[in-house]
Amino acid sequence: MAITQLVGAKIHRREDPRLITGGGRYTEDLLRPGTLSMAVVRSPHAHARITRLNATQAQALPGVVAVLTAADFKPILTGTHPVAPAFVAQKHTVPERFPVADSEVVFQGEPVAVVVAENRKLAVDGAAAVEVDYEPLPAVTDLLKALEPDSPKAHTNLLDNIGWDLAFTPEDTVKDAFAQAEIVVKERILQQRLAPTPIETRNVQADYNPFDEQLTVWMATQNPHFARIWIAGALGMPETRVRVISHDVGGGFGSKVCAYPEDYLVPAAAKLLRRPVRWTETRTESLQTTTHGRGQILDVELAAKRDGSFLALKVLQYLDVGAYIGTFGAFQTCACLLAGGAYKWPGGIAARTIGILTNRVPTDPYRGAGRPEATHLIERMVDKLAVELNMDPVEVRRKNFVQASEFPFTNTFGLTYDSGNYEGTLNKALQLVGYSELRQRQQQLRQQGRYLGIGFSTWIEICGFGPSGATAGATGGLGLTESAMVRVHPTGTVQIYVGSHAHGQGHETTFAQIASDTLGIPYESIEIRHGDTAEGPAFGFGTYGSRSLAVGGMAVHKASNRIVSKALKIAAHLLEASPDDLVFDQGRFHVKGNPGSAKTMGEIAFAAYGASLPEGEDHGLEAIAYFDPPNFVWPFGAHVCVVEVDPATGDAQIEQYVAVDDCGNVINPLIVEGQVQGGIAQGIAQALYEEVAYDDENGQLMTGSLVDYLVPTAAEIPTAVLDRTVTPSPSNPLGVKGIGEAGTIAASAAVINAIVDALQPLGITHIDMPATPDRLWKQIQQAQGGAR
Amino acid sequence: MADRVPVSVSVNGTTYARDVEPRDLLVYFLREELGLTGTHVGCDTSQCGACTVLVDGRPVKSCTMFAVQTDGKQLLTVEGLATNGALNPLQEAFWNEHGLQCGFCTPGFLMAATALLHSNPSPTEDQVRKGLEGNLCRCTGYANIARAVQSASQAIQTGAAVPVAAAAAGRA
């Protein structure tokens, strides 16, 4: 075994030189001569019947090649939008979805036609000239009213607006515990809709070659192999005739996982017109039509004893699924499965989810997907209980944590937390933030009429999906594993093809670190390739759910070890020794006790393609591996936010943010810290700034540009103080856990808890997100009015 | 087809003469006419700043400027920052400080920061953050971007490398 040299080291990313010089290869950077541009004609209504569509004028415009409607696409595109079971195997209603509406539109922005023209400008001109008449229909815009029998329906052919209604555990589960409770706290917690907003919007280019019946699709996606299956299936082509290429991708955050209408329409148009076609989403289209995240109401009740120990929990999730169920829309129900957080629930947890169809764009995973909601609800409830009991929220947490000695710990829903030391991260965070001094300062400031608050979030996360056995049902049959193929060339240089996909995570660097240590080959000689279905293993599952390192990185490790095993046999043959007598160290195999008698990995690579191999050994030095983890991984941590609220303006200023996280062993601290810092920014963004807003009456999107949808800037987001503890995961050989979503999962609860803590003297016990100055000011006014 | 208008513009030290439509946006002129795809489009309302370039040394959101408006002007894009394959101090700093993840917003930040350091060679962290509030990054949370700009400023101040100001003036 090679001595670890690179794993754990702060290696600067090899991706960066091309990205800081303008040399990135994003889909829209691909400029192929003769490529047509597509623009999409979209519904301006949330719900309407299409009464007339006239493309005559548009078709007559110079440069317009075709106006295509549902009638044109129906002969070439089959099937319906893919909807994975996720955590809800049995759904009540899954509305059929075709990429272009033909008679009824069910959300603002739904495609009704596309215009294909010689360039972008002419396509946009063409789209503006397509005449569509609509008869507006009542829109479903209110999540709870949608459940009433006399509510309008999201689709005219529906009998109700229920997508699913599933009790993970019946309410009876907790009946006894609630009966014995000495205190019950309740809250209705809103999770506003969020727009994932990668800075690169979605885009697709396609070229169909009729001679070899080959379709090439370039697109910004987090999972090229899934995209290929969907596109090939819809076009009725063999999977192998479709090649999906996704080089550099400008962020995803979950929104580039699912299937979208344009993913089908662009290839179909290319096939119909026998010309390459490209389409890039505008930002307004992105806010209108790229899946949103969250969009939930959570009714929560916590039963406890007066000493602060928890008994049981009830969660009822109302989830706004939008007008169609998203490909992985039901994944967000894991908010129920993780609602218990880092704590023990002797009386159990009752959890029910209702997925509700509305006339809005579908929701799907957005960074954290279900886990931020779970963390937010439980961490809010813990603080609420602490206030009711007049206890320190830290003490309530300590009292109920799963203890370090209790791992592996199986929760109410049968999920097994692999390893942890929750109190360890909390203790470190308290020390870093200077907790007792802070509480003293809070008291002093309160006497001066100033509102300082301290908020905690002791979060946990399930991530690193697989295992295959636990996830095959959730995807509809494909068990989540991850693949890697390692090729050692005769000159000793290495190419590794991975099935996961990077869009900012730094796979090219960290995977090379792992491979270098495992293979004993210099980092510089190892190239990581991804994002092209024509290269590497038959299937890759992609990057989401903080799975790249814990599953994909382990596939790199596993395949690299297969190379080492074969190299050992070749080395033994070359050294005329028994494999058992060889030692592998720093890229060399030497005979035990005789370091001079050795072969380097480079020499072995050359020999693997030469004339003299061990008896029965194949030529070449290549290996492929699929890593199927035995369990999920469970990172955790403690975040502390310190906020001061100005009661005159309702402005909440974050004074300090401390995060102590534990993602097991760290491959590259630079990247881990970057992920945490960026994740926290998105959590703060939800807590204080961002909200997708629709007009209640008509379902019109009111946040259709970045003027209204407030992605925070460098002037708003503080630099968090980061630290970590290390509790290795037993679920993989390197002991790693995912860290991509951690910051976002943790942060909103820490911020809101801090604000509520600040305003506690006013009797405020809960605040919904985003806690804008406007919302806070109103709540403060109300509270002060009430006190007078 | 609309009438075309001749434009002559210097980009990264090379002069280009082209006929453009009056409605052609500068960003698409750079990307699709000149093939300089390092300048990106992230929104339609000049909020995100991914398309920031320097026009006569001043930062401009090229999605909101017409190509015809640059006639006779000196432009600098991200492709013009490195000289003979050597990264400039700001690029080095973004690399060293892990100031980027997906990299899509990065060219815009580099150009905005170039202009910032030109007008204020040693900004405080607060000045950096306020100076870059015309640009959005969704990955990094900005901490490392702010660090990168300050560390570039120090490198330039201590003479560790060629001043970014030279690039800002379009002389790189």
Side-chain angles (χ1 to χ4, degrees):
Chain A
M1 181 68 198
I3 293 169
T4 291
Q5 296 170 320
L6 292 172
V7 163
K10 183 179 161 182
I11 307 275
H12 292 100
R13 298 200 320 169
R14 51 165 55 161
E15 290 87 342
D16 291 1
R18 70 170 184 273
L19 301 176
I20 54 181
T21 52
R25 299 165 302 162
Y26 302 93
T27 301
E28 218 204 348
D29 297 341
L30 179 73
L31 303 170
R32 305 180 75 240
T35 302
L36 301 171
S37 285
M38 185 178 100
V40 183
V41 181
R42 298 182 185 278
S43 167
H45 298 286
H47 195 189
R49 199 168 277 122
I50 301 169
T51 54
R52 190 181 72 103
L53 192 150
N54 180 3
T56 320
Q57 248 189 327
Q59 253 148 355
L61 286 177
V64 170
V65 175
V67 180
L68 304 171
T69 64
D72 301 297
F73 286 111
K74 283 208 164 144
I76 185 172
L77 286 174
T78 53
T80 183
H81 183 78
V83 177
F87 294 111
V88 184
Q90 298 294 321
K91 296 189 179 71
H92 175 74
T93 303
V94 180
E96 289 271 313
R97 181 178 188 182
F98 192 73
V100 192
D102 62 353
S103 56
E104 185 178 337
V105 287
V106 289
F107 70 92
Q108 192 192 31
E110 183 166 24
V112 296
V114 303
V115 176
V116 185
E118 292 295 340
N119 65 39
R120 176 196 325 271
K121 292 171 285 184
L122 299 172
V124 172
D125 289 347
V130 175
E131 297 169 12
V132 191
D133 291 344
Y134 298 91
E135 176 197 331
L137 296 166
V140 178
T141 61
D142 184 298
L143 209 47
L144 298 180
K145 283 184 194 157
L147 293 174
E148 291 167 9
D150 61 347
S151 164
K153 307 295 181 275
H155 297 244
T156 50
N157 64 353
L158 293 183
L159 297 175
D160 57 45
N161 292 312
I162 296 173
W164 65 75
D165 184 348
L166 170 70
F168 288 110
T169 40
E171 200 167 336
D172 275 359
T173 317
V174 297
K175 207 170 68 182
D176 293 347
F178 270 80
Q180 292 159 19
E182 293 166 5
I183 179 169
V184 173
V185 287
K186 298 181 189 185
E187 192 57 71
R188 168 164 285 183
I189 296 172
L190 305 183
Q191 282 281 340
Q192 77 270 35
R193 269 186 179 242
L194 298 176
T197 326
I199 305 299
E200 180 203 34
T201 55
R202 291 186 293 122
N203 45 49
V204 187
Q205 288 199 39
D207 188 7
Y208 178 73
N209 184 328
F211 296 104
D212 58 8
E213 294 175 4
Q214 180 80 31
L215 174 72
T216 307
V217 181
W218 296 264
M219 62 193 290
T221 175
Q222 296 177 229
N223 43 349
H225 289 88
F226 267 113
R228 173 166 74 161
I229 284 192
W230 294 329
I231 293 166
L235 285 163
M237 295 176 70
E239 191 184 346
T240 44
R241 289 275 174 211
V242 178
R243 177 182 182 188
V244 173
I245 301 173
S246 182
H247 289 308
D248 290 318
V249 172
F253 314 113
S255 71
K256 290 173 182 168
V257 171
C258 74
Y260 285 96
E262 297 83 359
D263 300 352
Y264 306 114
L265 298 176
V266 173
K271 203 173 172 190
L272 280 170
L273 303 172
R274 300 285 162 100
R275 296 267 305 267
V277 176
R278 70 203 299 242
W279 166 80
T280 298
E281 189 184 51
T282 65
R283 178 56 63 188
T284 294
E285 286 181 299
S286 178
L287 290 161
Q288 263 186 353
T289 71
T290 289
T291 55
H292 294 159
R294 321 286 190 258
Q296 297 161 37
I297 297 173
L298 296 136
D299 283 345
V300 193
E301 292 181 48
L302 185 157
K305 291 192 202 163
R306 294 215 71 90
D307 68 356
S309 44
F310 301 161
L311 293 171
L313 191 70
K314 276 190 222 175
V315 178
L316 173 53
Q317 177 189 45
Y318 300 94
L319 201 163
D320 177 357
V321 301
Y324 301 102
I325 295 180
T327 303
F328 296 102
F331 183 88
Q332 303 175 96
T333 61
C334 75
C336 296
L337 306 177
L338 271 293
Y343 314 104
K344 289 181 282 191
W345 300 93
I349 300 173
R352 175 182 172 198
T353 172
I354 306 176
I356 301 162
L357 291 154
T358 61
N359 291 112
R360 295 170 179 162
V361 72
T363 54
D364 225 48
Y366 162 53
R367 201 171 193 171
R371 292 152 289 166
E373 295 94 316
T375 303
H376 195 84
L377 79 84
I378 188 59
E379 293 303 296
R380 271 286 37 242
M381 295 309 284
V382 171
D383 271 29
K384 205 174 157 84
L385 178 73
V387 170
E388 295 271 337
L389 295 174
N390 199 21
M391 281 178 73
D392 187 324
V394 170
E395 289 318 307
V396 178
R397 284 175 170 80
R398 284 194 210 280
K399 212 174 184 74
N400 294 284
F401 273 148
V402 175
Q403 297 299 306
S405 57
E406 291 173 314
F407 291 92
F409 174 84
T410 301
N411 82 357
T412 308
F413 302 97
L415 297 167
T416 301
Y417 304 1
D418 61 348
S419 65
N421 180 0
Y422 302 154
E423 205 158 346
T425 53
L426 178 59
N427 289 340
K428 205 164 185 179
L430 291 173
Q431 214 174 9
L432 263 178
V433 82
Y435 185 53
S436 46
E437 295 81 7
L438 262 180
R439 282 290 180 209
Q440 284 167 17
R441 192 155 75 84
Q442 181 182 41
Q443 286 310 321
Q444 289 159 4
L445 290 176
R446 277 182 182 171
Q447 281 158 15
Q448 299 165 28
R450 287 172 63 184
Y451 295 88
L452 185 84
I454 306 152
F456 292 90
S457 175
T458 44
W459 65 279
I460 66 157
E461 177 191 358
I462 180 175
C463 65
F465 307 97
S468 64
T471 54
T475 69
L478 294 174
L480 290 171
T481 60
E482 200 48 89
S483 59
M485 176 194 247
V486 178
R487 287 181 175 168
V488 185
H489 293 253
T491 53
T493 53
V494 181
Q495 284 180 315
I496 301 180
Y497 302 83
V498 299
S500 52
H501 179 278
H503 27 281
Q505 296 87 346
H507 295 18
E508 291 169 40
T509 302
T510 43
F511 286 3
Q513 289 178 255
I514 293 172
S516 176
D517 278 1
T518 315
L519 293 168
I521 289 177
Y523 173 78
E524 295 73 22
S525 301
I526 299 169
E527 178 190 346
I528 304 293
R529 298 181 66 91
H530 66 85
D532 184 345
T533 59
E535 290 186 339
F539 204 78
F541 287 81
T543 288
Y544 39 82
S546 305
R547 66 188 301 277
S548 282
L549 178 60
V551 192
M554 292 312 106
V556 170
H557 184 252
K558 187 176 176 184
S560 299
N561 271 326
R562 287 193 174 154
I563 297 283
V564 174
S565 299
K566 181 168 179 179
L568 171 70
K569 286 189 257 174
I570 298 172
H573 176 72
L574 296 174
L575 294 167
E576 296 178 348
S578 157
D580 296 338
D581 291 337
L582 293 193
V583 176
F584 182 45
D585 180 29
Q586 310 261 19
R588 289 166 85 249
F589 292 90
H590 70 259
V591 179
K592 256 178 222 164
N594 183 7
S597 181
K599 290 287 171 190
T600 65
M601 207 41 141
E603 289 172 303
I604 294 161
F606 195 73
Y609 297 88
S612 174
L613 286 174
E615 185 72 27
E617 198 64 61
D618 278 354
H619 278 78
L621 198 53
E622 303 187 64
I624 192 164
Y626 283 74
F627 181 74
D628 185 5
N631 186 7
F632 311 99
V633 291
W634 297 81
F636 59 94
H639 288 212
V640 190
C641 181
V642 182
V643 159
E644 184 170 358
V645 181
D646 180 347
T649 60
D651 185 41
Q653 282 291 332
I654 296 177
E655 190 177 283
Q656 210 181 342
Y657 195 105
V658 167
V660 178
D661 297 307
D662 191 320
C663 60
N665 290 327
V666 168
I667 305 296
N668 188 330
L670 196 69
I671 288 177
V672 167
E673 285 160 20
Q675 287 290 324
V676 173
Q677 201 76 249
I680 290 170
Q682 285 187 18
I684 292 174
Q686 172 172 20
L688 297 180
Y689 303 102
E690 294 180 18
E691 176 172 36
V692 173
Y694 284 92
D695 163 357
D696 285 342
E697 201 178 332
N698 301 313
Q700 289 284 315
L701 180 68
M702 298 195 293
T703 47
S705 79
L706 295 178
V707 180
D708 301 304
Y709 189 79
L710 300 179
V711 174
T713 73
E716 282 92 37
I717 297 294
T719 298
V721 175
L722 307 182
D723 205 339
R724 64 176 162 266
T725 61
V726 177
T727 309
S729 168
S731 309
N732 56 68
L734 293 186
V736 299
K737 301 183 179 186
I739 196 67
E741 295 161 293
T744 307
I745 289 168
S748 72
V751 176
I752 296 297
N753 279 342
I755 296 174
V756 175
D757 184 56
L759 299 177
Q760 202 206 323
L762 297 174
I764 289 171
T765 60
H766 182 67
I767 282 160
D768 278 315
M769 299 185 287
T772 57
D774 175 57
R775 172 173 271 154
L776 286 182
W777 185 82
K778 282 178 185 156
Q779 218 161 326
I780 292 165
Q781 290 298 307
Q782 246 171 14
Q784 285 176 334
R788 266 180 217 135
Chain B
M1 290 280 175
D3 290 339
R4 289 182 166 262
V5 182
V7 166
S8 174
V9 56
S10 160
V11 183
N12 305 330
T14 304
T15 302
Y16 299 89
R18 294 283 192 280
D19 290 338
V20 301
E21 277 188 56
R23 66 167 170 171
D24 285 344
L25 296 173
L26 176 57
V27 66
Y28 292 116
F29 174 76
L30 292 170
R31 288 178 53 81
E32 295 177 2
E33 187 66 38
L34 305 186
L36 296 170
T37 56
T39 303
H40 299 147
V41 180
C43 73
D44 338 311
T45 49
S46 66
Q47 242 62 41
C48 82
C51 64
T52 306
V53 300
L54 301 191
V55 177
D56 287 343
R58 298 184 58 201
V60 162
K61 288 177 177 172
S62 62
C63 76
T64 345
M65 187 174 197
F66 293 114
V68 289
Q69 292 176 283
T70 61
D71 189 41
K73 298 198 188 298
Q74 308 258 317
L75 270 61
L76 184 71
T77 71
V78 67
E79 288 91 346
L81 292 181
T83 319
N84 299 325
L87 299 177
N88 82 4
L90 190 62
Q91 290 171 309
E92 284 276 4
F94 267 70
W95 191 11
N96 282 333
E97 300 292 342
H98 188 30
L100 61 148
Q101 289 178 26
C102 83
F104 195 80
C105 72
T106 311
F109 269 98
L110 287 168
M111 301 317 292
T114 300
L116 173 69
L117 291 180
H118 183 48
S119 63
N120 180 0
S122 37
T124 62
E125 184 187 340
D126 200 45
Q127 286 169 330
V128 170
R129 287 176 170 275
K130 287 207 167 70
L132 296 178
E133 68 183 353
N135 294 65
L136 295 177
C137 169
R138 196 58 160 165
C139 296
T140 63
Y142 304 106
N144 289 347
I145 293 178
R147 282 187 192 124
V149 176
Q150 285 204 280
S151 102
S153 154
Q154 273 161 21
I156 297 161
Q157 297 296 303
T158 56
V162 183
V164 178
R171 287 182 270 111

